[in-house]
C-alpha cells in the first residue's frame, strides 16, 4: 500500500444528534474511492455529558451502551452504530484509529476527602500551601454500567492531582499526597512540569491504573477491530507509560505495525525530538511546527519566504514519524488552540502535505465538509478531492525541489516508469506542482527527457492552456497568484465534491 491518507472524521461542532457513526457508514465508501486509507474517529467513550466532544472522559468502558451522565448514546451514536461504522470502514479498505484520552477523568460520581498541597499554576513544582484536606469529586463507581466489562472503580489514590475543592468552593491546582505520589517526570517542561492539565489527573505510577488501562486498551482494539490509536495530550502523560502501553498492544496483537500518532502541541522541534527519544521512537506525532508555518504563511502572504516552509518541522527532521496536517478541531476558530490557516492558503498547504513524498497526511473534516456552529465555515470539497485524487493517481517516484524563490516554489514527482500493474498506469506519469503566494508566477522544471513532446495539463482545471515539454525534458509550469497548479500528462480531474456536507 502506498500514498496513504488519513482523515480526521469530525470537527468540534459536529451536531449532538447521535447520527455521526451513521454518517461514517454513509461516507466511508466515497472516502475510500478518493484515496482515504485511515480514519481517525472522535473519542468514542462516554464523556461527562451528552454533548461532550469526547475529551471529558468519564467511563472508558461505555461506548454508548449504558444510561450514564443523562444519556445512553454518546454525542456520536450508540455502541452498536459505532461497531457497524468500524466494520464498514474495514469492508472498504479503511483502517480505523480511535482517539484515546488517557490523561484525565471528569464527571466523578462521588466526593472524597484527602490530603493535598496547592501548587503554583506557573510552576507546578512550587508548593504554595501547607498540607491540608480537601473534598473533591474523585470517586468513579459507574453505577449505570454495574461492573460489566470491568469492576474497577477509581478513587483519589489513582490520581496525582485535581483542581476543585468542593468544601472550600475553590479552584486551584492541588497535588495529591500519599505514598509514591508526585508529578510524573516524563512530561513536558512547561510550567516546570506539565503533568497536570485538567480534572482528575491519572497517575500512571500506580500499578492498578496501568493494569486497568492495558486491559481496556486491548478490549477496545478487539471490540472495534482497530488498526491504531490517536493519543491525546501526550505533553501531560508519562513517557515510559506511553511506550509500555504501545509495546503491550503490539505484543498482544502480534502486530508490530499497530499504528499510533500522538498530539504533542508544541511548536518546538527540539522538544519534539526529546519526546521521540523519550518514547524510543515508538509513536508518530502530528507535525505541529508545520501547521504553525502554514498559519504564519497564510497570514503574511507574499511577505512570508516559502523557502522556509519546512524549517523546524518534523517532516524535515524526522519524516518517518511525521503526520502532517493543515488544521484540526483544536486549531479551528473559537477553540482553545485556535490558529486557523486562512482559506486562500488552504489549497497550497494541502498540496504540500498531499503531493510530496514524505509524511502521512491527515485531511481535516472541517476543511472537507465545513464547520458548523454559530460561525459556520464552508468546506472545500472540490479542491481537496482533486488533490487527494492527484495523490492517489500521480504523486509517485523521485522528488526534485525548486524552492529557489520566496513567493514561487515548486517540485516534481518523476512517476514510476517501471510500474507494470495496468490498474496503476497513471503512476508512471508523475506530476509537477507550482505554488505562488505573491503574483502569478512560473517555474521551469525538469520532468524527464522521456516526456519530450508531451502536453501537460493542470489537473486542478485552473489553467486552460497546455505546457509542452521540450526536447531537454523541461517544462515552463505556471500558477495563478495566491494559488497552486498541479500539472501532469493527463486530463484535468473531473471531480467536484466527495458528497454534500454530511451534516
Amino acid at each position: 500500500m502506498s500514498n496513504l491518507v488519513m482523515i480526521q472524521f469530525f470537527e468540534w461542532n459536529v451536531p449532538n444528534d447521535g447520527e455521526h457513526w451513521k454518517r461514517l457508514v454513509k461516507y466511508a465508501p466515497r472516502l475510500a474511492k478518493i484515496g482515504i486509507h485511515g480514519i481517525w474517529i472522535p473519542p468514542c467513550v462516554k464523556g461527562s455529558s451528552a454533548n461532550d466532544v469526547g475529551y471529558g472522559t468519564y467511563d472508558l468502558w461505555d461506548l454508548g451502551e449504558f444510561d450514564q451522565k443523562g444519556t445512553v448514546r454518546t454525542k456520536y451514536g450508540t455502541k452498536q452504530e459505532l461497531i457497524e461504522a468500524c466494520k464498514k470502514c474495514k469492508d472498504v479498505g479503511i483502517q480505523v484509529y480511535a482517539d484515546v484520552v488517557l490523561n484525565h477523568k471528569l464527571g466523578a460520581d462521588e466526593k472524597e476527602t484527602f490530603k493535598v498541597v496547592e501548587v503554583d499554576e506557573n510552576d507546578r513544582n512550587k508548593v504554595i500551601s501547607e498540607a491540608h484536606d480537601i473534598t473533591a469529586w474523585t470517586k468513579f463507581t459507574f453505577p449505570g454500567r454495574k461492573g460489566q466489562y470491568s469492576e474497577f472503580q477509581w478513587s483519589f489514590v489513582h490520581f496525582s492531582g485535581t483542581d476543585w475543592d468542593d468544601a472550600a468552593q475553590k479552584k486551584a491546582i492541588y497535588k495529591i499526597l500519599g505514598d509514591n505520589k508526585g508529578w510524573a517526570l516524563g512530561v513536558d517542561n512547561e510550567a516546570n512540569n506539565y503533568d497536570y492539565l485538567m480534572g482528575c489527573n491519572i497517575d500512571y505510577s500506580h500499578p492498578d491504573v496501568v493494569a486497568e488501562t492495558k486491559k481496556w486498551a486491548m478490549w477496545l482494539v478487539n471490540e472495534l477491530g482497530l488498526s491504531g490509536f490517536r493519543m491525546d495530550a501526550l505533553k501531560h502523560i508519562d513517557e515510559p507509560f506511553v511506550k509500555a502501553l504501545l509495546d503491550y498492544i503490539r505484543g498482544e496483537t502480534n502486530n508490530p505495525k499497530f499504528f499510533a500518532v500522538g498530539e504533542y502541541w508544541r511548536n518546538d522541534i527540539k522538544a519534539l525530538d526529546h519526546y521521540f527519544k523519550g518514547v524510543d521512537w515508538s509513536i508518530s506525532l502530528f507535525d505541529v511546527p508545520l501547521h504553525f508555518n502554514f498559519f504564519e504563511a497564510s497570514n503574511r502572504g507574499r511577505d512570508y519566504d516559502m523557502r522556509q516552509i519546512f524549517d523546524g518541522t518534523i517532516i524535515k527532521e524526522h519524516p518517518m514519524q511525521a503526520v502532517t496536517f493543515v488544521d484540526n478541531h483544536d486549531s479551528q476558530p473559537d477553540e482553545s488552540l485556535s490558529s486557523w490557516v486562512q482559506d486562500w492558503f488552504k489549497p497550497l498547504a494541502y498540496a504540500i502535505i498531499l503531493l510530496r513524498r514524505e509524511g502521512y497526511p491527515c485531511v481535516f473534516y472541517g476543511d472537507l465538509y465545513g464547520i458548523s456552529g454559530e460561525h459556520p465555515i464552508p468546506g472545500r470539497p472540490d479542491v481537496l478531492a482533486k488533490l487527494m485524487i492527484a495523490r492517489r493517481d500521480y504523486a509517485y517516484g523521485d522528488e526534485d525541489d525548486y524552492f529557489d524563490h520566496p513567493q514561487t516554489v515548486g517540485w516534481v514527482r518523476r512517476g514510476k516508469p517501471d510500474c507494470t500493474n495496468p490498474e496503476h498506469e497513471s503512476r508512471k506519469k508523475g506530476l509537477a506542482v507550482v505554488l505562488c503566494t505573491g503574483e502569478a508566477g512560473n517555474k521551469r522544471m525538469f520532468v524527464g527527457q522521456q516526456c519530450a513532446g508531451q502536453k501537460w495539463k493542470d489537473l486542478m482545471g485552473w489553467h486552460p492552456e497546455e505546457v509542452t515539454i521540450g526536447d531537454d525534458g523541461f517544462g515552463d509550469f505556471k500558477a495563478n497568484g495566491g494559488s497552486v497548479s498541479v500539472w501532469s500528462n493527463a486530463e484535468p480531474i473531473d471531480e467536484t465534491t466527495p458528497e454534500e456536507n454530511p451534516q
Side-chain angles (χ1 to χ4, degrees):
M1 188 177 294
S2 59
N3 279 8
L4 304 178
V5 184
M6 179 196 319
I7 184 170
Q8 176 186 355
F9 196 75
F10 68 103
E11 51 99 4
W12 199 266
N13 300 321
V14 165
N16 179 24
D17 57 7
E19 297 291 311
H20 201 59
W21 301 139
K22 294 179 182 178
R23 293 185 192 105
L24 181 50
V25 169
K26 179 180 179 181
Y27 288 97
R30 184 66 183 133
L31 291 169
K33 183 178 178 181
I34 61 174
I36 294 295
H37 297 87
I39 283 188
W40 156 21
I41 61 173
C44 56
V45 305
K46 186 64 58 70
S48 57
S49 72
N51 194 42
D52 198 302
V53 175
Y55 297 100
T57 303
Y58 167 66
D59 186 1
L60 293 174
W61 298 90
D62 184 355
L63 305 182
E65 184 178 6
F66 304 100
D67 188 358
Q68 300 190 108
K69 297 302 170 185
T71 180
V72 173
R73 68 167 176 86
T74 67
K75 180 178 181 177
Y76 309 107
T78 66
K79 177 183 178 182
Q80 186 57 41
E81 290 163 349
L82 169 61
I83 290 172
E84 291 170 1
C86 292
K87 182 180 184 301
K88 185 65 174 182
C89 289
K90 292 172 65 178
D91 288 346
V92 298
I94 297 176
Q95 297 184 341
V96 179
Y97 310 140
D99 196 331
V100 294
V101 185
L102 300 177
N103 177 71
H104 53 266
K105 298 182 78 66
L106 295 171
D109 301 298
E110 300 174 15
K111 292 182 282 188
E112 298 178 291
T113 300
F114 47 89
K115 286 198 177 296
V116 301
V117 290
E118 184 179 342
V119 300
D120 190 320
E121 181 178 358
N122 299 312
D123 183 350
R124 307 298 171 77
N125 288 326
K126 182 179 180 181
V127 175
I128 58 174
S129 78
E130 298 294 329
H132 62 285
D133 286 341
I134 66 168
T135 300
W137 291 91
T138 52
K139 184 73 172 177
F140 292 79
T141 60
F142 315 115
R145 183 160 51 81
K146 297 182 173 61
Q148 188 166 339
Y149 304 126
S150 171
E151 296 182 351
F152 188 84
Q153 296 187 354
W154 297 72
S155 71
F156 75 91
V157 300
H158 302 122
F159 305 112
S160 58
T162 190
D163 62 357
W164 178 251
D165 180 355
D166 197 69
Q169 293 289 290
K170 181 180 178 181
K171 184 175 179 62
I173 299 178
Y174 299 104
K175 182 166 70 171
I176 297 173
L177 300 179
D179 293 341
N180 301 313
K181 283 292 179 188
W183 301 132
L185 299 180
V187 296
D188 192 79
N189 61 9
E190 186 176 339
N192 213 5
N193 180 293
Y194 216 4
D195 185 4
Y196 188 83
L197 176 63
M198 66 173 70
C200 299
N201 191 69
I202 297 175
D203 181 3
Y204 287 108
S205 70
H206 198 298
D208 292 347
V209 170
V210 173
E212 173 71 1
T213 305
K214 287 181 175 179
K215 175 184 174 183
W216 169 80
M218 281 307 307
W219 173 80
L220 187 72
V221 168
N222 292 326
E223 201 81 355
L224 301 181
L226 299 175
S227 298
F229 280 172
R230 181 267 184 187
M231 303 189 72
D232 185 59
L234 288 185
K235 288 170 67 173
H236 314 279
I237 302 176
D238 200 26
E239 293 167 3
F241 167 75
V242 173
K243 183 181 185 304
L245 178 64
L246 293 175
D247 286 348
Y248 175 77
I249 295 170
R250 288 163 180 157
E252 289 294 303
T253 60
N254 195 29
N255 178 16
K257 294 184 178 181
F258 182 87
F259 180 69
V261 57
E263 179 234 3
Y264 197 106
W265 199 264
R266 185 82 182 267
N267 185 17
D268 181 345
I269 191 62
K270 291 183 179 179
L272 301 176
D273 182 71
H274 183 271
Y275 185 80
F276 282 130
K277 294 174 182 176
V279 296
D280 195 24
W281 307 92
S282 59
I283 190 169
S284 298
L285 292 179
F286 288 103
D287 198 340
V288 173
L290 180 63
H291 159 74
F292 277 106
N293 286 357
F294 290 155
F295 176 63
E296 183 181 357
S298 77
N299 284 298
R300 292 182 60 191
R302 64 180 302 139
D303 293 330
Y304 183 87
D305 189 340
M306 287 295 291
R307 295 172 295 186
Q308 301 173 2
I309 196 69
F310 297 113
D311 287 1
T313 63
I314 300 176
I315 194 71
K316 180 179 180 179
E317 301 299 331
H318 307 296
M320 295 297 292
Q321 310 296 130
V323 174
T324 53
F325 71 105
V326 178
D327 271 309
N328 66 17
H329 63 295
D330 282 326
S331 70
Q332 71 182 67
D334 303 321
E335 298 309 323
S336 59
L337 302 173
S338 181
S339 47
W340 188 247
V341 175
Q342 290 193 28
D343 185 67
W344 75 271
F345 193 78
K346 284 285 171 76
L348 288 75
Y350 272 104
I352 288 173
I353 71 169
L354 288 170
L355 303 181
R356 293 181 63 79
R357 183 172 56 188
E358 305 290 1
Y360 187 0
C362 182
V363 174
F364 178 41
Y365 183 98
D367 286 332
L368 186 63
Y369 295 117
I371 289 173
S372 56
E374 292 184 9
H375 305 102
I377 299 174
R380 301 292 299 274
D382 52 342
V383 173
L384 294 192
K386 289 179 180 180
L387 289 171
M388 283 189 275
I389 290 170
R391 176 179 177 84
R392 182 195 70 188
D393 292 346
Y394 304 106
Y396 295 90
D398 292 339
E399 184 174 82
D400 300 319
D401 283 339
Y402 293 80
F403 282 70
D404 51 6
H405 187 277
Q407 288 91 39
T408 302
V409 299
W411 65 91
V412 170
R413 300 295 302 277
R414 296 288 197 87
K416 300 178 72 174
D418 56 347
C419 181
T420 58
N421 187 334
E423 295 182 1
H424 298 155
E425 186 71 18
S426 63
R427 298 183 181 184
K428 295 181 178 181
K429 299 181 178 182
L431 50 73
V433 183
V434 181
L435 283 68
C436 292
T437 58
E439 303 298 326
N442 62 287
K443 189 70 62 177
R444 178 173 163 78
M445 299 189 293
F446 181 75
V447 297
Q449 288 181 300
Q450 76 279 3
C451 299
Q454 291 180 357
K455 296 184 182 300
W456 285 38
K457 299 178 182 180
D458 179 13
L459 298 176
M460 305 301 291
W462 293 339
H463 276 274
E465 70 273 20
E466 300 173 340
V467 173
T468 301
I469 307 302
D471 292 340
D472 58 0
F474 279 84
D476 191 13
F477 301 100
K478 301 176 181 179
N480 294 325
S483 186
V484 57
S485 59
V486 183
W487 301 86
S488 187
N489 182 28
E491 293 299 316
I493 296 170
D494 182 16
E495 183 67 35
T496 57
T497 174
E499 295 287 359
E500 72 280 5
N501 190 322
Q503 296 174 197

